Amino acid sequence: MTEVHRPPLTADERTQLTGWLDLQRSFVRMKCDGLSEEDAHRKLLPTSPLTTVAGLVAHLRWVEYSWFHLNLLGVPDTGQTPWTEDGHPDAEMFVDDVPLGRLLDEYDAECACSNEAIAGLPLETVERGQPADKAASLRYVLCHMIEETARHVGHLDILRELLDGTTGYTRLTETTA
């Protein structure tokens, strides 16, 4: 398991925002560590059958793509996303036949692409993929992605506990720089 670090206590705003997002992202892989394929795809919630570990990882991957590339950068969707006009609103979570390792690798790659895409952008940068009166700043998007990722890490935490009793976060250290 990888050791993860909280962002520095006195860092600038951008370092804090990206640091907290990266920390939450690291917990996704941590929550999946050592999980079997069967358990990663196990449907534990009768009223929410798409809420599986694998489904949440896939959802987080596409949320990254949607917020950072489609919305913020305004990259047009050329059919690469799982969503279609008449399709299921949670189509990204239909991953029963996709191995968890592949989903995690795709999520990690998407997170790296997101980080690369925003590296040179000021926090005041406004979404290009939204109408001007509904466009959010990069600062807003980062705050939202921290919230979104942390919420789903909580879901992963609950699912993992239900699957095999594993709880908590290990190897989390404070950064003092």
Side-chain angles (χ1 to χ4, degrees), residues 76-94:
D77 181 4
T78 57
Q80 71 270 34
T81 67
W83 306 295
T84 59
E85 191 172 314
D86 297 326
H88 193 283
D90 297 317
E92 76 279 11
M93 296 178 81
F94 286 95

Side-chain angles (χ1 to χ4, degrees), residues 7-102:
L9 297 172
T10 58
D12 62 272
E13 181 182 17
R14 180 183 203 88
T15 302
Q16 288 285 337
L17 291 171
T18 58
W20 281 104
L21 179 54
D22 284 341
L23 178 66
Q24 292 304 315
R25 289 167 169 164
S26 73
F27 291 150
V28 172
R29 189 169 280 276
M30 184 185 291
K31 287 292 154 190
C32 297
D33 189 46
L35 200 58
S36 71
E37 286 298 324
E38 182 180 353
D39 282 346
H41 293 86
R42 189 179 309 275
K43 296 167 181 11
L44 297 170
L45 307 173
T47 58
S48 299
L50 296 177
T51 305
T52 64
V53 169
L56 287 171
V57 172
H59 170 72
L60 285 167
R61 180 265 173 114
W62 288 108
V63 167
E64 285 275 339
Y65 182 80
S66 177
W67 275 96
F68 289 111
H69 289 86
L70 297 179
N71 294 1
L72 187 67
L73 300 179
V75 174
D77 181 4
T78 57
Q80 71 270 34
T81 67
W83 306 295
T84 59
E85 191 172 314
D86 297 326
H88 193 283
D90 297 317
E92 76 279 11
M93 296 178 81
F94 286 95
V95 292
D96 285 346
D97 58 339
V98 183
L100 179 61
R102 177 175 148 199

Side-chain angles (χ1 to χ4, degrees), residues 67 71-72 124-141:
W67 275 96
N71 294 1
L72 187 67
E124 293 75 23
T125 301
V126 177
E127 292 176 302
R128 295 180 199 153
Q130 297 295 320
D133 63 330
K134 296 183 192 282
S137 68
L138 172 55
R139 180 181 288 104
Y140 176 94
V141 172

Side-chain angles (χ1 to χ4, degrees), residues 127-175:
E127 292 176 302
R128 295 180 199 153
Q130 297 295 320
D133 63 330
K134 296 183 192 282
S137 68
L138 172 55
R139 180 181 288 104
Y140 176 94
V141 172
L142 286 168
C143 288
H144 172 71
M145 288 302 297
I146 292 166
E147 177 271 333
E148 174 88 8
T149 307
R151 183 165 48 96
H152 291 310
V153 166
H155 295 142
L156 289 170
D157 197 36
I158 292 166
L159 291 176
R160 187 64 191 257
E161 184 173 358
L162 289 171
L163 287 165
D164 66 7
T166 300
T167 61
Y169 302 96
T170 58
R171 301 182 192 221
L172 174 62
T173 60
E174 298 291 334
T175 301

